[in-house]
Amino acid sequence: LRNVSHIATANHRIRIAATVGARSKWMGAKQRALAEIESLDLFTKEDVDEFERHLGMREAASVVGMALSLRNVKGALANSAKVATAEAQAAFKSSVANKPSINRQKQAGHIKGTPQHKNRQKSNKPSSIFFGQKSGDHLTQEAFSKGNPVNGRPGVKDYDFGVSVGTGPNGGMQTRVRVHQDRKGQIHGHPSGPEKF
């Protein structure tokens, strides 16, 4: 019963964090719950960090919360932990597997300082840039997932984040990301839309 109580406490903390969605609350709940999660042999700190890196804060909280919920069953607690861990890891792998890969060559053309971006500048191609590779990759994947198809442009989607995602060719801030998917299924994105100064 002591283990069930620990699981319920950790699960409650994770669910609060997922509901509120505030990074500070998630970080606090994650830190408090990590010792309980690790002591029950569900996940390591590195597993939870990897979930967050690939899936984002809310989805990571949901995956961890799901594992803790599945773990909180009466009966053989040791078997439940293995089942919950396997299901959560399968959900994580499935989520990563369903994301198309990013075409590094084309994406790099929209990251300042890369050889590909320098080539675009030399050839006077108007080029918008993300603030960095990691944020550019994350925004590209999210825009692909949530974006609306562009009329008359097969394989192209736009998504407006409502906040600055990068800069346009004239140095103004842009809030949209346009994603292009090629015939191989790979994607690349770039900031787009009106520039705001």
Side-chain angles (χ1 to χ4, degrees):
L1 288 177
R2 185 172 179 271
N3 284 341
V4 172
S5 173
H6 282 308
I7 295 162
T9 302
N11 191 21
H12 180 68
R13 288 179 182 150
I14 295 296
R15 285 187 181 193
I16 288 173
T19 302
V20 173
R23 175 158 288 282
S24 61
K25 296 218 185 250
W26 160 240
M27 294 305 292
K30 183 170 78 168
Q31 290 304 321
R32 289 189 300 275
L34 272 175
E36 295 168 55
I37 291 168
E38 288 181 329
S39 72
L40 295 169
D41 199 26
L42 291 176
F43 299 116
T44 64
K45 178 185 182 306
E46 290 74 23
D47 289 332
V48 175
D49 289 343
E50 187 168 329
F51 291 164
E52 186 175 7
R53 192 169 40 257
H54 288 287
L55 302 175
M57 180 185 68
R58 288 176 191 250
E59 289 81 2
S62 294
V63 168
V64 174
M66 178 183 76
L68 290 170
S69 293
L70 290 171
R71 177 68 168 88
N72 191 12
V73 294
K74 294 180 180 178
L77 292 175
N79 278 344
S80 297
K82 290 177 185 173
V83 169
T85 300
E87 288 183 12
Q89 288 173 341
F92 166 68
K93 287 178 183 174
S94 172
S95 174
V96 171
N98 290 333
K99 291 182 180 180
S101 64
I102 291 178
N103 182 313
R104 287 281 142 229
Q105 182 79 15
K106 291 179 180 177
Q107 186 85 350
H110 300 283
I111 308 296
K112 187 175 183 173
T114 63
Q116 293 84 352
H117 183 253
K118 289 176 184 175
N119 286 341
R120 288 180 71 88
Q121 289 179 312
K122 284 180 190 173
S123 61
N124 290 323
K125 284 186 179 177
S127 184
S128 56
I129 56 172
F130 288 112
F131 294 125
Q133 180 184 333
K134 285 184 181 179
S135 66
D137 289 357
H138 175 77
L139 292 166
T140 297
Q141 289 286 5
E142 191 169 344
F144 178 79
S145 172
K146 297 178 179 177
N148 296 313
V150 175
N151 288 335
R153 302 281 309 272
V156 179
K157 292 182 177 182
D158 276 341
Y159 186 72
D160 195 333
F161 286 88
V163 296
S164 182
V165 295
T167 57
N170 301 311
M173 298 295 167
Q174 294 178 300
T175 62
R176 291 185 204 151
V177 172
R178 177 163 282 187
V179 181
H180 304 261
Q181 187 171 34
D182 63 24
R183 291 181 185 144
K184 295 178 183 176
Q186 290 188 315
I187 60 173
H188 82 280
H190 56 85
S192 70
E195 295 183 50
K196 297 176 184 174
F197 294 91

mmCIF file of all heavy atoms in Angstrom, residues 33-85:
data_model
loop_
_atom_site.group_PDB
_atom_site.id
_atom_site.type_symbol
_atom_site.label_atom_id
_atom_site.label_comp_id
_atom_site.label_asym_id
_atom_site.label_seq_id
_atom_site.Cartn_x
_atom_site.Cartn_y
_atom_site.Cartn_z
ATOM 1 N N ALA A 33 8.632 14.334 -8.378
ATOM 2 C CA ALA A 33 8.154 12.995 -8.720
ATOM 3 C C ALA A 33 9.273 12.066 -9.181
ATOM 4 O O ALA A 33 9.123 10.854 -9.119
ATOM 5 C CB ALA A 33 7.096 13.087 -9.816
ATOM 6 N N LEU A 34 10.415 12.631 -9.618
ATOM 7 C CA LEU A 34 11.474 11.793 -10.178
ATOM 8 C C LEU A 34 11.968 10.731 -9.208
ATOM 9 O O LEU A 34 12.165 9.578 -9.584
ATOM 10 C CB LEU A 34 12.649 12.644 -10.658
ATOM 11 C CG LEU A 34 12.527 13.146 -12.089
ATOM 12 C CD1 LEU A 34 13.664 14.069 -12.445
ATOM 13 C CD2 LEU A 34 12.443 12.003 -13.077
ATOM 14 N N ALA A 35 12.176 11.108 -7.954
ATOM 15 C CA ALA A 35 12.662 10.132 -6.972
ATOM 16 C C ALA A 35 11.663 8.986 -6.826
ATOM 17 O O ALA A 35 12.052 7.809 -6.779
ATOM 18 C CB ALA A 35 12.891 10.804 -5.627
ATOM 19 N N GLU A 36 10.372 9.320 -6.796
ATOM 20 C CA GLU A 36 9.353 8.279 -6.673
ATOM 21 C C GLU A 36 9.297 7.425 -7.934
ATOM 22 O O GLU A 36 9.189 6.209 -7.874
ATOM 23 C CB GLU A 36 7.986 8.918 -6.406
ATOM 24 C CG GLU A 36 7.935 9.635 -5.064
ATOM 25 C CD GLU A 36 6.697 10.498 -4.944
ATOM 26 O OE1 GLU A 36 5.606 9.972 -5.120
ATOM 27 O OE2 GLU A 36 6.877 11.702 -4.700
ATOM 28 N N ILE A 37 9.401 8.069 -9.096
ATOM 29 C CA ILE A 37 9.356 7.345 -10.360
ATOM 30 C C ILE A 37 10.543 6.385 -10.452
ATOM 31 O O ILE A 37 10.392 5.218 -10.785
ATOM 32 C CB ILE A 37 9.365 8.330 -11.556
ATOM 33 C CG1 ILE A 37 8.044 9.106 -11.602
ATOM 34 C CG2 ILE A 37 9.593 7.603 -12.879
ATOM 35 C CD1 ILE A 37 8.063 10.284 -12.545
ATOM 36 N N GLU A 38 11.751 6.892 -10.122
ATOM 37 C CA GLU A 38 12.942 6.053 -10.215
ATOM 38 C C GLU A 38 12.918 4.938 -9.174
ATOM 39 O O GLU A 38 13.333 3.816 -9.457
ATOM 40 C CB GLU A 38 14.206 6.912 -10.079
ATOM 41 C CG GLU A 38 14.451 7.759 -11.318
ATOM 42 C CD GLU A 38 15.706 8.614 -11.237
ATOM 43 O OE1 GLU A 38 16.086 9.033 -10.131
ATOM 44 O OE2 GLU A 38 16.298 8.849 -12.287
ATOM 45 N N SER A 39 12.424 5.224 -7.957
ATOM 46 C CA SER A 39 12.393 4.185 -6.923
ATOM 47 C C SER A 39 11.445 3.052 -7.296
ATOM 48 O O SER A 39 11.618 1.921 -6.863
ATOM 49 C CB SER A 39 11.996 4.778 -5.565
ATOM 50 O OG SER A 39 10.625 5.109 -5.560
ATOM 51 N N LEU A 40 10.444 3.337 -8.120
ATOM 52 C CA LEU A 40 9.518 2.301 -8.564
ATOM 53 C C LEU A 40 9.990 1.643 -9.857
ATOM 54 O O LEU A 40 9.308 0.802 -10.415
ATOM 55 C CB LEU A 40 8.124 2.911 -8.777
ATOM 56 C CG LEU A 40 7.469 3.439 -7.503
ATOM 57 C CD1 LEU A 40 6.246 4.254 -7.845
ATOM 58 C CD2 LEU A 40 7.115 2.295 -6.573
ATOM 59 N N ASP A 41 11.174 2.055 -10.351
ATOM 60 C CA ASP A 41 11.779 1.470 -11.537
ATOM 61 C C ASP A 41 10.897 1.632 -12.769
ATOM 62 O O ASP A 41 10.782 0.723 -13.592
ATOM 63 C CB ASP A 41 12.110 -0.007 -11.301
ATOM 64 C CG ASP A 41 13.143 -0.503 -12.310
ATOM 65 O OD1 ASP A 41 13.928 0.315 -12.824
ATOM 66 O OD2 ASP A 41 13.130 -1.697 -12.601
ATOM 67 N N LEU A 42 10.234 2.803 -12.889
ATOM 68 C CA LEU A 42 9.409 3.073 -14.064
ATOM 69 C C LEU A 42 10.238 3.725 -15.166
ATOM 70 O O LEU A 42 10.283 3.253 -16.280
ATOM 71 C CB LEU A 42 8.240 3.992 -13.701
ATOM 72 C CG LEU A 42 7.167 3.394 -12.801
ATOM 73 C CD1 LEU A 42 6.145 4.454 -12.453
ATOM 74 C CD2 LEU A 42 6.505 2.217 -13.477
ATOM 75 N N PHE A 43 10.852 4.848 -14.850
ATOM 76 C CA PHE A 43 11.671 5.587 -15.789
ATOM 77 C C PHE A 43 12.891 6.106 -15.065
ATOM 78 O O PHE A 43 12.897 6.244 -13.845
ATOM 79 C CB PHE A 43 10.932 6.829 -16.336
ATOM 80 C CG PHE A 43 9.682 6.537 -17.091
ATOM 81 C CD1 PHE A 43 8.463 6.969 -16.629
ATOM 82 C CD2 PHE A 43 9.723 5.845 -18.278
ATOM 83 C CE1 PHE A 43 7.303 6.723 -17.325
ATOM 84 C CE2 PHE A 43 8.570 5.588 -18.986
ATOM 85 C CZ PHE A 43 7.361 6.032 -18.510
ATOM 86 N N THR A 44 13.904 6.484 -15.841
ATOM 87 C CA THR A 44 15.029 7.218 -15.284
ATOM 88 C C THR A 44 14.803 8.695 -15.581
ATOM 89 O O THR A 44 13.937 9.046 -16.392
ATOM 90 C CB THR A 44 16.358 6.767 -15.925
ATOM 91 O OG1 THR A 44 16.312 7.111 -17.318
ATOM 92 C CG2 THR A 44 16.578 5.268 -15.753
ATOM 93 N N LYS A 45 15.591 9.547 -14.968
ATOM 94 C CA LYS A 45 15.508 10.982 -15.236
ATOM 95 C C LYS A 45 15.769 11.249 -16.720
ATOM 96 O O LYS A 45 15.113 12.076 -17.338
ATOM 97 C CB LYS A 45 16.522 11.736 -14.376
ATOM 98 C CG LYS A 45 16.537 13.236 -14.619
ATOM 99 C CD LYS A 45 17.631 13.902 -13.821
ATOM 100 C CE LYS A 45 17.639 15.395 -14.000
ATOM 101 N NZ LYS A 45 17.712 15.866 -15.372
ATOM 102 N N GLU A 46 16.717 10.495 -17.301
ATOM 103 C CA GLU A 46 17.046 10.673 -18.710
ATOM 104 C C GLU A 46 15.848 10.324 -19.616
ATOM 105 O O GLU A 46 15.626 10.984 -20.627
ATOM 106 C CB GLU A 46 18.261 9.803 -19.099
ATOM 107 C CG GLU A 46 19.582 10.273 -18.494
ATOM 108 C CD GLU A 46 19.724 9.965 -17.003
ATOM 109 O OE1 GLU A 46 19.041 9.040 -16.501
ATOM 110 O OE2 GLU A 46 20.489 10.653 -16.328
ATOM 111 N N ASP A 47 15.076 9.280 -19.239
ATOM 112 C CA ASP A 47 13.882 8.921 -20.023
ATOM 113 C C ASP A 47 12.900 10.083 -20.038
ATOM 114 O O ASP A 47 12.372 10.462 -21.093
ATOM 115 C CB ASP A 47 13.179 7.696 -19.423
ATOM 116 C CG ASP A 47 13.948 6.402 -19.614
ATOM 117 O OD1 ASP A 47 14.698 6.279 -20.586
ATOM 118 O OD2 ASP A 47 13.770 5.520 -18.760
ATOM 119 N N VAL A 48 12.645 10.657 -18.858
ATOM 120 C CA VAL A 48 11.669 11.756 -18.761
ATOM 121 C C VAL A 48 12.166 12.970 -19.542
ATOM 122 O O VAL A 48 11.410 13.612 -20.266
ATOM 123 C CB VAL A 48 11.390 12.106 -17.286
ATOM 124 C CG1 VAL A 48 10.462 13.322 -17.185
ATOM 125 C CG2 VAL A 48 10.775 10.919 -16.564
ATOM 126 N N ASP A 49 13.472 13.271 -19.440
ATOM 127 C CA ASP A 49 14.034 14.393 -20.198
ATOM 128 C C ASP A 49 13.911 14.162 -21.700
ATOM 129 O O ASP A 49 13.626 15.078 -22.462
ATOM 130 C CB ASP A 49 15.506 14.614 -19.826
ATOM 131 C CG ASP A 49 15.671 15.186 -18.423
ATOM 132 O OD1 ASP A 49 14.678 15.707 -17.867
ATOM 133 O OD2 ASP A 49 16.788 15.101 -17.883
ATOM 134 N N GLU A 50 14.119 12.899 -22.140
ATOM 135 C CA GLU A 50 14.002 12.599 -23.565
ATOM 136 C C GLU A 50 12.556 12.720 -24.032
ATOM 137 O O GLU A 50 12.293 13.238 -25.110
ATOM 138 C CB GLU A 50 14.534 11.197 -23.854
ATOM 139 C CG GLU A 50 14.595 10.922 -25.357
ATOM 140 C CD GLU A 50 15.383 9.683 -25.692
ATOM 141 O OE1 GLU A 50 16.332 9.352 -24.965
ATOM 142 O OE2 GLU A 50 15.023 9.045 -26.680
ATOM 143 N N PHE A 51 11.603 12.269 -23.205
ATOM 144 C CA PHE A 51 10.199 12.447 -23.553
ATOM 145 C C PHE A 51 9.920 13.937 -23.773
ATOM 146 O O PHE A 51 9.297 14.325 -24.753
ATOM 147 C CB PHE A 51 9.288 11.942 -22.442
ATOM 148 C CG PHE A 51 9.283 10.446 -22.245
ATOM 149 C CD1 PHE A 51 8.767 9.910 -21.079
ATOM 150 C CD2 PHE A 51 9.765 9.575 -23.203
ATOM 151 C CE1 PHE A 51 8.740 8.553 -20.876
ATOM 152 C CE2 PHE A 51 9.749 8.210 -23.019
ATOM 153 C CZ PHE A 51 9.246 7.696 -21.845
ATOM 154 N N GLU A 52 10.392 14.774 -22.848
ATOM 155 C CA GLU A 52 10.113 16.207 -22.929
ATOM 156 C C GLU A 52 10.783 16.820 -24.158
ATOM 157 O O GLU A 52 10.187 17.634 -24.855
ATOM 158 C CB GLU A 52 10.587 16.908 -21.659
ATOM 159 C CG GLU A 52 10.188 18.375 -21.629
ATOM 160 C CD GLU A 52 10.547 19.059 -20.317
ATOM 161 O OE1 GLU A 52 11.215 18.443 -19.479
ATOM 162 O OE2 GLU A 52 10.163 20.216 -20.164
ATOM 163 N N ARG A 53 12.025 16.398 -24.449
ATOM 164 C CA ARG A 53 12.758 16.954 -25.582
ATOM 165 C C ARG A 53 12.049 16.631 -26.905
ATOM 166 O O ARG A 53 11.943 17.469 -27.784
ATOM 167 C CB ARG A 53 14.183 16.395 -25.577
ATOM 168 C CG ARG A 53 15.136 17.067 -26.501
ATOM 169 C CD ARG A 53 16.608 16.691 -26.301
ATOM 170 N NE ARG A 53 16.879 15.307 -26.012
ATOM 171 C CZ ARG A 53 17.173 14.814 -24.799
ATOM 172 N NH1 ARG A 53 17.215 15.618 -23.753
ATOM 173 N NH2 ARG A 53 17.417 13.535 -24.617
ATOM 174 N N HIS A 54 11.539 15.406 -27.047
ATOM 175 C CA HIS A 54 10.930 15.002 -28.310
ATOM 176 C C HIS A 54 9.444 15.321 -28.404
ATOM 177 O O HIS A 54 8.942 15.592 -29.479
ATOM 178 C CB HIS A 54 11.125 13.500 -28.547
ATOM 179 C CG HIS A 54 12.533 13.145 -28.889
ATOM 180 N ND1 HIS A 54 13.094 13.433 -30.106
ATOM 181 C CD2 HIS A 54 13.506 12.555 -28.172
ATOM 182 C CE1 HIS A 54 14.336 13.024 -30.126
ATOM 183 N NE2 HIS A 54 14.612 12.485 -28.968
ATOM 184 N N LEU A 55 8.742 15.262 -27.283
ATOM 185 C CA LEU A 55 7.289 15.397 -27.331
ATOM 186 C C LEU A 55 6.783 16.741 -26.843
ATOM 187 O O LEU A 55 5.644 17.094 -27.092
ATOM 188 C CB LEU A 55 6.635 14.297 -26.489
ATOM 189 C CG LEU A 55 6.973 12.858 -26.878
ATOM 190 C CD1 LEU A 55 6.350 11.889 -25.888
ATOM 191 C CD2 LEU A 55 6.481 12.561 -28.272
ATOM 192 N N GLY A 56 7.600 17.490 -26.098
ATOM 193 C CA GLY A 56 7.137 18.730 -25.488
ATOM 194 C C GLY A 56 6.641 18.479 -24.076
ATOM 195 O O GLY A 56 6.436 17.349 -23.649
ATOM 196 N N MET A 57 6.465 19.568 -23.325
ATOM 197 C CA MET A 57 6.142 19.489 -21.905
ATOM 198 C C MET A 57 4.828 18.769 -21.632
ATOM 199 O O MET A 57 4.769 17.844 -20.828
ATOM 200 C CB MET A 57 6.090 20.909 -21.338
ATOM 201 C CG MET A 57 5.760 20.968 -19.871
ATOM 202 S SD MET A 57 5.586 22.667 -19.305
ATOM 203 C CE MET A 57 4.103 23.166 -20.134
ATOM 204 N N ARG A 58 3.747 19.172 -22.303
ATOM 205 C CA ARG A 58 2.434 18.583 -21.999
ATOM 206 C C ARG A 58 2.399 17.099 -22.335
ATOM 207 O O ARG A 58 1.882 16.293 -21.575
ATOM 208 C CB ARG A 58 1.335 19.314 -22.765
ATOM 209 C CG ARG A 58 1.065 20.700 -22.233
ATOM 210 C CD ARG A 58 0.029 21.388 -23.116
ATOM 211 N NE ARG A 58 -0.057 22.779 -22.785
ATOM 212 C CZ ARG A 58 -1.091 23.326 -22.179
ATOM 213 N NH1 ARG A 58 -2.105 22.595 -21.830
ATOM 214 N NH2 ARG A 58 -1.108 24.603 -21.910
ATOM 215 N N GLU A 59 2.957 16.749 -23.515
ATOM 216 C CA GLU A 59 2.925 15.356 -23.918
ATOM 217 C C GLU A 59 3.794 14.502 -22.995
ATOM 218 O O GLU A 59 3.441 13.371 -22.667
ATOM 219 C CB GLU A 59 3.381 15.203 -25.377
ATOM 220 C CG GLU A 59 2.367 15.732 -26.381
ATOM 221 C CD GLU A 59 2.413 17.247 -26.573
ATOM 222 O OE1 GLU A 59 3.263 17.904 -25.945
ATOM 223 O OE2 GLU A 59 1.592 17.773 -27.327
ATOM 224 N N ALA A 60 4.951 15.050 -22.562
ATOM 225 C CA ALA A 60 5.814 14.303 -21.639
ATOM 226 C C ALA A 60 5.087 14.060 -20.323
ATOM 227 O O ALA A 60 5.129 12.957 -19.765
ATOM 228 C CB ALA A 60 7.116 15.072 -21.383
ATOM 229 N N ALA A 61 4.400 15.087 -19.834
ATOM 230 C CA ALA A 61 3.637 14.925 -18.594
ATOM 231 C C ALA A 61 2.559 13.862 -18.765
ATOM 232 O O ALA A 61 2.327 13.043 -17.876
ATOM 233 C CB ALA A 61 3.015 16.255 -18.170
ATOM 234 N N SER A 62 1.936 13.834 -19.941
ATOM 235 C CA SER A 62 0.892 12.841 -20.195
ATOM 236 C C SER A 62 1.458 11.430 -20.239
ATOM 237 O O SER A 62 0.875 10.495 -19.706
ATOM 238 C CB SER A 62 0.182 13.136 -21.516
ATOM 239 O OG SER A 62 -0.511 14.347 -21.420
ATOM 240 N N VAL A 63 2.621 11.277 -20.896
ATOM 241 C CA VAL A 63 3.244 9.945 -20.986
ATOM 242 C C VAL A 63 3.618 9.443 -19.603
ATOM 243 O O VAL A 63 3.327 8.308 -19.233
ATOM 244 C CB VAL A 63 4.484 9.977 -21.914
ATOM 245 C CG1 VAL A 63 5.302 8.703 -21.782
ATOM 246 C CG2 VAL A 63 4.048 10.156 -23.358
ATOM 247 N N VAL A 64 4.258 10.316 -18.806
ATOM 248 C CA VAL A 64 4.656 9.916 -17.458
ATOM 249 C C VAL A 64 3.414 9.655 -16.607
ATOM 250 O O VAL A 64 3.339 8.670 -15.869
ATOM 251 C CB VAL A 64 5.562 10.982 -16.805
ATOM 252 C CG1 VAL A 64 5.854 10.641 -15.357
ATOM 253 C CG2 VAL A 64 6.869 11.098 -17.587
ATOM 254 N N GLY A 65 2.414 10.529 -16.734
ATOM 255 C CA GLY A 65 1.167 10.328 -15.993
ATOM 256 C C GLY A 65 0.484 9.037 -16.387
ATOM 257 O O GLY A 65 -0.040 8.312 -15.533
ATOM 258 N N MET A 66 0.518 8.704 -17.682
ATOM 259 C CA MET A 66 -0.081 7.460 -18.137
ATOM 260 C C MET A 66 0.630 6.263 -17.505
ATOM 261 O O MET A 66 -0.011 5.325 -17.036
ATOM 262 C CB MET A 66 0.009 7.346 -19.662
ATOM 263 C CG MET A 66 -0.552 6.038 -20.208
ATOM 264 S SD MET A 66 -0.367 5.858 -21.996
ATOM 265 C CE MET A 66 1.367 5.454 -22.112
ATOM 266 N N ALA A 67 1.955 6.299 -17.484
ATOM 267 C CA ALA A 67 2.697 5.185 -16.898
ATOM 268 C C ALA A 67 2.379 5.041 -15.423
ATOM 269 O O ALA A 67 2.180 3.929 -14.916
ATOM 270 C CB ALA A 67 4.197 5.390 -17.088
ATOM 271 N N LEU A 68 2.307 6.185 -14.726
ATOM 272 C CA LEU A 68 1.999 6.122 -13.298
ATOM 273 C C LEU A 68 0.575 5.625 -13.068
ATOM 274 O O LEU A 68 0.316 4.865 -12.135
ATOM 275 C CB LEU A 68 2.209 7.497 -12.654
ATOM 276 C CG LEU A 68 3.681 7.931 -12.553
ATOM 277 C CD1 LEU A 68 3.766 9.388 -12.144
ATOM 278 C CD2 LEU A 68 4.446 7.055 -11.594
ATOM 279 N N SER A 69 -0.360 6.034 -13.936
ATOM 280 C CA SER A 69 -1.741 5.561 -13.801
ATOM 281 C C SER A 69 -1.825 4.060 -14.034
ATOM 282 O O SER A 69 -2.501 3.340 -13.299
ATOM 283 C CB SER A 69 -2.652 6.269 -14.804
ATOM 284 O OG SER A 69 -2.739 7.629 -14.477
ATOM 285 N N LEU A 70 -1.146 3.605 -15.091
ATOM 286 C CA LEU A 70 -1.164 2.172 -15.377
ATOM 287 C C LEU A 70 -0.502 1.381 -14.254
ATOM 288 O O LEU A 70 -0.883 0.257 -13.947
ATOM 289 C CB LEU A 70 -0.449 1.894 -16.705
ATOM 290 C CG LEU A 70 -1.175 2.368 -17.949
ATOM 291 C CD1 LEU A 70 -0.273 2.242 -19.170
ATOM 292 C CD2 LEU A 70 -2.454 1.587 -18.161
ATOM 293 N N ARG A 71 0.496 2.013 -13.650
ATOM 294 C CA ARG A 71 1.234 1.347 -12.568
ATOM 295 C C ARG A 71 0.371 1.209 -11.316
ATOM 296 O O ARG A 71 0.561 0.326 -10.496
ATOM 297 C CB ARG A 71 2.501 2.170 -12.278
ATOM 298 C CG ARG A 71 3.348 1.678 -11.135
ATOM 299 C CD ARG A 71 3.990 0.337 -11.501
ATOM 300 N NE ARG A 71 4.998 -0.036 -10.568
ATOM 301 C CZ ARG A 71 4.794 -0.730 -9.454
ATOM 302 N NH1 ARG A 71 3.578 -1.090 -9.142
ATOM 303 N NH2 ARG A 71 5.781 -1.052 -8.660
ATOM 304 N N ASN A 72 -0.593 2.109 -11.183
ATOM 305 C CA ASN A 72 -1.406 2.158 -9.976
ATOM 306 C C ASN A 72 -2.572 1.171 -10.071
ATOM 307 O O ASN A 72 -3.717 1.541 -10.088
ATOM 308 C CB ASN A 72 -1.912 3.597 -9.768
ATOM 309 C CG ASN A 72 -2.532 3.785 -8.409
ATOM 310 O OD1 ASN A 72 -2.402 2.943 -7.526
ATOM 311 N ND2 ASN A 72 -3.219 4.896 -8.247
ATOM 312 N N VAL A 73 -2.278 -0.071 -10.187
ATOM 313 C CA VAL A 73 -3.305 -1.104 -10.200
ATOM 314 C C VAL A 73 -3.066 -2.036 -9.037
ATOM 315 O O VAL A 73 -1.922 -2.198 -8.577
ATOM 316 C CB VAL A 73 -3.302 -1.896 -11.535
ATOM 317 C CG1 VAL A 73 -3.697 -1.026 -12.692
ATOM 318 C CG2 VAL A 73 -1.974 -2.568 -11.760
ATOM 319 N N LYS A 74 -4.152 -2.631 -8.593
ATOM 320 C CA LYS A 74 -4.012 -3.573 -7.490
ATOM 321 C C LYS A 74 -3.444 -4.876 -8.030
ATOM 322 O O LYS A 74 -3.663 -5.239 -9.170
ATOM 323 C CB LYS A 74 -5.361 -3.812 -6.820
ATOM 324 C CG LYS A 74 -5.893 -2.585 -6.127
ATOM 325 C CD LYS A 74 -7.211 -2.846 -5.474
ATOM 326 C CE LYS A 74 -7.705 -1.576 -4.802
ATOM 327 N NZ LYS A 74 -9.008 -1.761 -4.192
ATOM 328 N N GLY A 75 -2.756 -5.586 -7.204
ATOM 329 C CA GLY A 75 -2.192 -6.867 -7.610
ATOM 330 C C GLY A 75 -0.690 -6.803 -7.660
ATOM 331 O O GLY A 75 -0.072 -6.131 -6.855
ATOM 332 N N ALA A 76 -0.104 -7.475 -8.611
ATOM 333 C CA ALA A 76 1.349 -7.614 -8.708
ATOM 334 C C ALA A 76 1.961 -6.302 -9.186
ATOM 335 O O ALA A 76 1.971 -6.007 -10.375
ATOM 336 C CB ALA A 76 1.703 -8.745 -9.650
ATOM 337 N N LEU A 77 2.474 -5.514 -8.239
ATOM 338 C CA LEU A 77 3.023 -4.201 -8.574
ATOM 339 C C LEU A 77 4.250 -4.313 -9.473
ATOM 340 O O LEU A 77 4.453 -3.486 -10.357
ATOM 341 C CB LEU A 77 3.374 -3.439 -7.292
ATOM 342 C CG LEU A 77 2.173 -3.017 -6.452
ATOM 343 C CD1 LEU A 77 2.632 -2.380 -5.152
ATOM 344 C CD2 LEU A 77 1.305 -2.062 -7.221
ATOM 345 N N ALA A 78 5.055 -5.315 -9.291
ATOM 346 C CA ALA A 78 6.261 -5.462 -10.101
ATOM 347 C C ALA A 78 5.903 -5.684 -11.568
ATOM 348 O O ALA A 78 6.501 -5.067 -12.454
ATOM 349 C CB ALA A 78 7.109 -6.606 -9.586
ATOM 350 N N ASN A 79 4.918 -6.542 -11.844
ATOM 351 C CA ASN A 79 4.503 -6.788 -13.228
ATOM 352 C C ASN A 79 3.881 -5.546 -13.838
ATOM 353 O O ASN A 79 4.089 -5.245 -15.008
ATOM 354 C CB ASN A 79 3.505 -7.951 -13.305
ATOM 355 C CG ASN A 79 4.198 -9.285 -13.286
ATOM 356 O OD1 ASN A 79 5.397 -9.359 -13.509
ATOM 357 N ND2 ASN A 79 3.451 -10.324 -13.007
ATOM 358 N N SER A 80 3.096 -4.823 -13.052
ATOM 359 C CA SER A 80 2.451 -3.616 -13.559
ATOM 360 C C SER A 80 3.475 -2.584 -13.999
ATOM 361 O O SER A 80 3.271 -1.901 -14.995
ATOM 362 C CB SER A 80 1.549 -3.008 -12.482
ATOM 363 O OG SER A 80 0.516 -3.903 -12.167
ATOM 364 N N ALA A 81 4.564 -2.463 -13.250
ATOM 365 C CA ALA A 81 5.613 -1.494 -13.602
ATOM 366 C C ALA A 81 6.203 -1.814 -14.961
ATOM 367 O O ALA A 81 6.400 -0.926 -15.790
ATOM 368 C CB ALA A 81 6.703 -1.483 -12.537
ATOM 369 N N LYS A 82 6.469 -3.085 -15.209
ATOM 370 C CA LYS A 82 7.051 -3.472 -16.499
ATOM 371 C C LYS A 82 6.079 -3.207 -17.643
ATOM 372 O O LYS A 82 6.464 -2.722 -18.704
ATOM 373 C CB LYS A 82 7.456 -4.951 -16.460
ATOM 374 C CG LYS A 82 8.638 -5.207 -15.556
ATOM 375 C CD LYS A 82 8.963 -6.675 -15.470
ATOM 376 C CE LYS A 82 10.077 -6.904 -14.456
ATOM 377 N NZ LYS A 82 10.311 -8.319 -14.224
ATOM 378 N N VAL A 83 4.819 -3.532 -17.436
ATOM 379 C CA VAL A 83 3.807 -3.301 -18.471
ATOM 380 C C VAL A 83 3.664 -1.807 -18.738
ATOM 381 O O VAL A 83 3.648 -1.369 -19.890
ATOM 382 C CB VAL A 83 2.444 -3.908 -18.048
ATOM 383 C CG1 VAL A 83 1.327 -3.449 -18.973
ATOM 384 C CG2 VAL A 83 2.533 -5.420 -18.019
ATOM 385 N N ALA A 84 3.553 -1.001 -17.677
ATOM 386 C CA ALA A 84 3.384 0.442 -17.839
ATOM 387 C C ALA A 84 4.579 1.055 -18.546
ATOM 388 O O ALA A 84 4.422 1.889 -19.435
ATOM 389 C CB ALA A 84 3.182 1.103 -16.478
ATOM 390 N N THR A 85 5.780 0.642 -18.167
ATOM 391 C CA THR A 85 6.987 1.167 -18.799
ATOM 392 C C THR A 85 7.006 0.810 -20.279
ATOM 393 O O THR A 85 7.270 1.665 -21.127
ATOM 394 C CB THR A 85 8.240 0.616 -18.096
ATOM 395 O OG1 THR A 85 8.202 1.018 -16.734
ATOM 396 C CG2 THR A 85 9.511 1.155 -18.730
#
